[in-house]
Amino acid sequence: MKVYSFPRGGLPYDDSSAPEKSQAVNAFLPAISVIQLGNWARKVFPVVSIGETVREGMLVARASGAGAANVHATVPGRIIRKVTWKDRDGINNDAFVIKMEGSFERLGKKDEIMIWNGLNGYDLQRIISDYGIVEMENSEMPLSDLISNARKENEKISLVVRCVFDDPWLVADYALCHDRIKAVIDGAAIVAKSCFKVANIVFAVSHKEKELGQLLISEAARLETPSTLIMTGSKYPQRNKRELELALRDYEKKEGVNLGSILILGPAVLVAAYDAVVHKKPILDRYVAVGGTAVKKPQILKVRIGTRISEVIEQCGGFIEPPERIVTGSPLSGREVMYLDEPVGKTCYAIVAMAKSQAAIHGLQNCINCGECRAVCPMGLDPQDIYKRIRMQEIEFAGTTGCHGCGCCKIVCPSALPLLETFMEKSGEDANV
């Protein structure tokens, strides 16, 4: 079995405070839901008002322009108020607060099934857009926009299904792949047909998950579009777009094939595309890995979008001790939570509540010039030098260094320097200049 990886840097990453691989448990339905409407970068316009009653899956805000996606109610109930809060980056977030009441139209009932094979690519894209399907990781780019961009390519396209588990906090996506493997496969076929130019579906799977790779490629044998299984490395940050593309181009070179342009999507967005087209429903739930050293019972939950983080943690037994820091996503590159009333959104694949000992890596100590950060940087940079020059204000634009924020340097630093935070903070300042 050949394994393809990026050529330098990176490191094995493990975290015993993450949940173990298991089936997801259904989270409690929230009595109060917080449905995010967007921020300054993604404009949406409400189509309902405070005091109105909404149904499960009902459109509550319409997207305006590229980068924005339609917003739907995830529970039935009444809109009791509109709230705004600022995240760690100072960006305003607006949301409707819905008090759950009335009956569910989808929960516990048999899903309707649409035969989608006879639809053309434009029809499929319109459905995906109508139901607000987005790339369910950091970018939250509307899938419809990604499809439009793919159509503009002048060469064939390989749709890459990214099942690369280089981070233990991706365990929710692993559970999703096993629980809904047919939806992952059919979702890939739907996106492939929408893009027109997809000539091959590539399943990029960590080599440690060979069994999952075989299940995916076996299930994909029934598709009209040819499929390929490529086993990648498991060293962090293999799943980053740059590192994954390096592995795929290495495969091209060694196997003598041409993948063309590459569109990379995770399993969660493919399942969401399938549900939109086949079952006519927006993103209502998200598989979320909940854990960290401050959480009593780490586990994988199937969480209704809009559930407040405090309620999710409560279902995991609450806190063992007061958390020093909470992030959504991986502790390496996730977004810091400022309020426990913040909701689970479409891109939230993990919630990590760190006790003081786990959060200590974010402390500020002195560099001991060990060189560990240089050895693991996949970009071949000198994080130690960049950090010192930023601190001494010798670098005007940190973004020009080439750092893409994987956080490998932060993991191995024995002095627990806030390397990644410093780089990203400087890059954010430069972006606002």
Side-chain angles (χ1 to χ4, degrees):
M1 177 183 65
K2 292 184 179 179
V3 177
Y4 299 90
S5 188
F6 53 97
R8 64 185 176 192
L11 76 168
Y13 174 48
D14 195 14
D15 189 338
S16 60
S17 70
E20 296 180 356
K21 294 176 181 176
S22 62
Q23 286 190 319
V25 176
N26 287 324
F28 301 132
L29 289 171
I32 298 292
S33 293
V34 182
I35 306 300
Q36 289 181 269
L37 300 177
N39 55 44
W40 64 272
R42 297 182 172 90
K43 297 294 185 182
V44 298
F45 293 94
V47 295
V48 294
S49 303
I50 296 172
E52 286 191 43
T53 298
V54 296
R55 303 183 308 278
E56 180 189 17
M58 177 178 167
L59 181 73
V60 296
R62 191 175 299 280
S64 175
N70 289 342
V71 180
H72 300 77
T74 58
V75 296
R78 182 167 49 87
I79 300 174
I80 58 175
R81 62 180 177 272
K82 186 178 179 182
V83 295
T84 299
W85 73 92
K86 285 188 177 182
D87 61 22
R88 189 177 184 277
D89 299 320
I91 297 174
N92 284 329
N93 292 267
D94 297 325
F96 277 139
V97 178
I98 300 176
K99 182 180 180 182
M100 186 174 65
E101 54 188 45
S103 61
F104 284 81
E105 297 185 1
R106 296 183 178 276
L107 184 68
K109 299 177 182 178
K110 188 175 181 179
D111 285 324
E112 58 180 312
I113 298 176
M114 173 185 281
I115 306 302
W116 62 270
N117 305 73
L119 299 176
N120 63 42
Y122 291 111
D123 288 334
L124 294 173
Q125 183 185 18
R126 176 185 54 77
I127 295 170
I128 287 170
S129 176
D130 286 347
Y131 285 105
I133 308 305
V134 298
E135 206 282 326
M136 295 172 67
E137 296 185 15
N138 293 332
S139 72
E140 204 172 349
M141 178 69 70
L143 180 56
S144 177
D145 289 2
L146 295 175
I147 291 170
S148 294
N149 292 339
R151 287 182 185 154
K152 297 174 185 177
E153 296 290 341
N154 295 321
E155 57 182 337
K156 73 174 185 179
I157 299 170
S158 289
L159 171 60
V160 178
V161 182
R162 177 171 53 190
C163 298
V164 179
F165 304 104
D166 59 352
D167 184 330
W169 291 98
L170 295 166
V171 69
D173 274 356
Y174 180 87
L176 177 66
C177 285
H178 275 277
D179 290 354
R180 302 203 60 193
I181 190 166
K182 184 181 184 298
V184 173
I185 300 301
D186 285 358
I190 288 168
V191 173
K193 188 172 184 178
S194 302
C195 293
F196 296 138
K197 298 179 181 179
V198 172
N200 186 28
I201 297 176
V202 175
F203 295 95
V205 183
S206 308
H207 74 281
K208 293 182 179 180
E209 309 301 341
K210 183 179 179 181
E211 181 182 349
L212 174 61
Q214 295 297 335
L215 287 173
L216 289 166
I217 202 69
S218 176
E219 182 71 25
R222 58 184 171 78
L223 302 181
E224 294 181 4
T225 305
S227 57
T228 304
L229 174 63
I230 299 178
M231 306 307 294
T232 73
S234 299
K235 187 170 57 173
Y236 183 85
Q238 179 64 79
R239 76 189 307 273
N240 272 20
K241 186 175 185 294
R242 173 187 174 272
E243 279 67 39
L244 184 53
E245 284 197 8
L246 285 173
L248 295 172
R249 298 306 181 190
D250 186 38
Y251 168 85
E252 270 187 325
K253 181 179 178 181
K254 291 181 178 178
E255 300 297 329
V257 298
N258 177 21
L259 296 177
S261 295
I262 293 173
L263 173 60
I264 301 173
L265 296 175
V269 66
L270 297 176
V271 170
Y274 171 85
D275 284 341
V277 172
V278 177
H279 298 313
K280 297 183 179 180
K281 66 181 182 181
I283 302 170
L284 300 177
D285 304 288
R286 186 72 160 97
Y287 278 48
V288 181
V290 186
T293 51
V295 173
K296 186 174 183 179
K297 184 183 177 183
Q299 58 185 316
I300 303 170
L301 297 178
K302 185 180 178 184
V303 181
R304 187 64 52 134
I305 300 296
T307 304
R308 291 173 293 181
I309 288 174
S310 58
E311 293 183 88
V312 176
I313 292 175
E314 183 179 349
Q315 182 158 349
C316 293
F319 295 123
I320 299 173
E321 59 181 279
E324 186 79 5
R325 187 168 184 258
I326 301 176
V327 299
T328 56
S330 171
L332 305 179
S333 57
R335 182 184 64 82
E336 187 164 2
V337 173
M338 304 300 292
Y339 313 101
L340 284 174
D341 281 341
E342 287 188 27
V344 170
K346 296 176 181 178
T347 63
C348 177
Y349 62 85
I351 298 172
V352 190
M354 293 176 270
K356 191 171 184 178
S357 57
Q358 188 179 16
I361 193 170
H362 303 284
L364 176 60
Q365 303 294 333
N366 294 319
C367 176
I368 59 174
N369 300 304
C370 66
E372 291 290 330
C373 58
R374 291 192 296 273
V376 300
C377 179
M379 298 294 293
L381 303 176
D382 186 342
Q384 166 193 331
D385 180 64
I386 297 170
Y387 174 76
K388 288 180 178 178
R389 291 170 65 191
I390 289 175
R391 299 282 292 182
M392 297 178 68
Q393 299 184 336
E394 292 179 359
I395 295 181
E396 186 174 357
F397 294 101
T400 62
T401 64
C403 171
H404 65 344
C406 70
C408 284
C409 55
K410 184 179 78 170
I411 300 173
V412 300
C413 180
S415 297
L417 293 172
L419 298 170
L420 179 61
E421 290 83 355
T422 301
F423 300 161
M424 294 300 100
E425 181 180 356
K426 183 60 178 175
S427 295
E429 291 174 359
D430 296 338
N432 295 322
V433 173

